Amino acid sequence: MGITYKGTVTKGIVSGKERMIEVNLTGNAADYYMNVIQIDAAVNPGNSGGPLCDVSGKVVGIISLKIVQDEVEGMGFAIPIEDAMEYAKAIEEGG
Protein backbone atom coordinates (compact mmCIF):
# COMPACT_ATOMS: atom_id res chain seq x y z
CA MET A 1 0.00 0.00 0.00
CA GLY A 2 3.03 2.24 -0.33
CA ILE A 3 3.91 5.06 2.02
CA THR A 4 0.30 6.22 2.40
CA TYR A 5 -0.17 4.17 5.58
CA LYS A 6 3.42 4.22 6.82
CA GLY A 7 3.61 4.27 10.62
CA THR A 8 0.22 2.64 11.19
CA VAL A 9 -0.01 0.89 14.56
CA THR A 10 -2.61 -1.07 16.49
CA LYS A 11 -3.41 -1.01 20.18
CA GLY A 12 -1.21 -4.02 20.84
CA ILE A 13 -3.78 -6.00 22.75
CA VAL A 14 -2.84 -9.57 23.59
CA SER A 15 -6.12 -11.47 23.67
CA GLY A 16 -4.67 -14.79 24.69
CA LYS A 17 -1.44 -16.61 25.37
CA GLU A 18 -0.82 -20.29 24.70
CA ARG A 19 -3.63 -20.62 22.15
CA MET A 20 -3.42 -23.84 20.16
CA ILE A 21 -4.46 -23.30 16.57
CA GLU A 22 -4.95 -25.81 13.81
CA VAL A 23 -2.63 -25.34 10.83
CA ASN A 24 -3.95 -26.80 7.60
CA LEU A 25 -1.61 -26.90 4.61
CA THR A 26 -3.25 -29.65 2.57
CA GLY A 27 -6.93 -28.64 2.65
CA ASN A 28 -7.90 -31.70 4.68
CA ALA A 29 -7.53 -32.32 8.40
CA ALA A 30 -5.04 -30.39 10.53
CA ASP A 31 -1.45 -30.96 9.52
CA TYR A 32 -0.31 -29.86 12.98
CA TYR A 33 -1.19 -27.60 15.90
CA MET A 34 0.80 -24.53 16.82
CA ASN A 35 1.15 -22.73 20.14
CA VAL A 36 0.59 -18.99 19.50
CA ILE A 37 -0.12 -15.62 21.10
CA GLN A 38 -3.39 -14.08 19.89
CA ILE A 39 -3.06 -10.36 19.05
CA ASP A 40 -5.18 -7.55 17.62
CA ALA A 41 -2.49 -6.47 15.15
CA ALA A 42 -3.41 -6.57 11.49
CA VAL A 43 -1.37 -9.30 9.80
CA ASN A 44 -0.87 -8.76 6.09
CA PRO A 45 1.63 -9.79 3.43
CA GLY A 46 4.82 -7.95 4.27
CA ASN A 47 4.49 -7.70 8.02
CA SER A 48 4.38 -11.35 8.99
CA GLY A 49 7.80 -12.28 10.33
CA GLY A 50 8.05 -8.99 12.19
CA PRO A 51 8.54 -8.70 15.94
CA LEU A 52 5.83 -8.56 18.58
CA CYS A 53 7.29 -6.38 21.32
CA ASP A 54 6.30 -5.67 24.90
CA VAL A 55 6.19 -2.13 26.35
CA SER A 56 9.93 -2.30 27.06
CA GLY A 57 10.75 -3.12 23.44
CA LYS A 58 11.64 -6.72 24.24
CA VAL A 59 10.70 -9.14 21.44
CA VAL A 60 8.13 -11.58 22.84
CA GLY A 61 6.95 -13.15 19.58
CA ILE A 62 7.21 -13.31 15.83
CA ILE A 63 4.05 -12.26 13.97
CA SER A 64 3.16 -15.19 11.78
CA LEU A 65 -0.45 -15.69 10.69
CA LYS A 66 -4.07 -14.62 10.85
CA ILE A 67 -7.51 -16.11 10.51
CA VAL A 68 -8.78 -15.59 6.97
CA GLN A 69 -12.58 -15.66 7.00
CA ASP A 70 -15.17 -13.12 5.91
CA GLU A 71 -16.57 -12.99 9.44
CA VAL A 72 -13.20 -12.34 11.14
CA GLU A 73 -11.10 -9.17 11.03
CA GLY A 74 -8.05 -8.25 13.05
CA MET A 75 -7.33 -11.61 14.65
CA GLY A 76 -3.63 -12.26 14.24
CA PHE A 77 -1.19 -14.62 15.87
CA ALA A 78 2.47 -14.60 16.82
CA ILE A 79 4.82 -17.47 17.59
CA PRO A 80 6.14 -17.06 21.16
CA ILE A 81 9.81 -16.06 21.01
CA GLU A 82 10.85 -19.13 23.01
CA ASP A 83 9.28 -21.41 20.39
CA ALA A 84 10.71 -19.33 17.51
CA MET A 85 14.21 -19.67 18.96
CA GLU A 86 13.79 -23.46 19.19
CA TYR A 87 12.62 -23.60 15.55
CA ALA A 88 15.59 -21.45 14.46
CA LYS A 89 18.02 -23.71 16.30
CA ALA A 90 16.51 -26.82 14.69
CA ILE A 91 16.83 -25.23 11.23
CA GLU A 92 20.43 -24.22 11.88
CA GLU A 93 21.18 -27.80 12.89
CA GLY A 94 19.68 -29.15 9.66
CA GLY A 95 16.16 -29.87 10.91
Side-chain angles (χ1 to χ4, degrees):
M1 297 180 71
I3 63 170
T4 304
Y5 296 102
K6 180 180 178 186
T8 299
V9 297
T10 58
K11 293 181 182 179
I13 298 169
V14 172
S15 300
K17 294 171 28 180
E18 298 183 10
R19 301 260 198 218
M20 296 301 290
I21 61 166
E22 184 178 300
V23 178
N24 184 318
L25 303 173
T26 60
N28 299 319
D31 292 301
Y32 59 93
Y33 290 86
M34 180 183 282
N35 174 38
V36 294
I37 302 167
Q38 182 182 339
I39 57 177
D40 77 335
V43 179
N44 300 300
N47 70 355
S48 58
L52 174 66
C53 300
D54 66 12
V55 295
S56 301
K58 179 181 173 188
V59 176
V60 296
I62 304 297
I63 299 170
S64 58
L65 56 127
K66 68 177 181 176
I67 292 181
V68 180
Q69 294 178 358
D70 290 338
E71 308 83 28
V72 179
E73 184 62 40
M75 189 178 295
F77 299 94
I79 301 169
I81 195 62
E82 298 83 7
D83 293 356
M85 296 300 288
E86 286 182 28
Y87 299 147
K89 182 178 179 182
I91 291 168
E92 288 175 347
E93 294 173 352

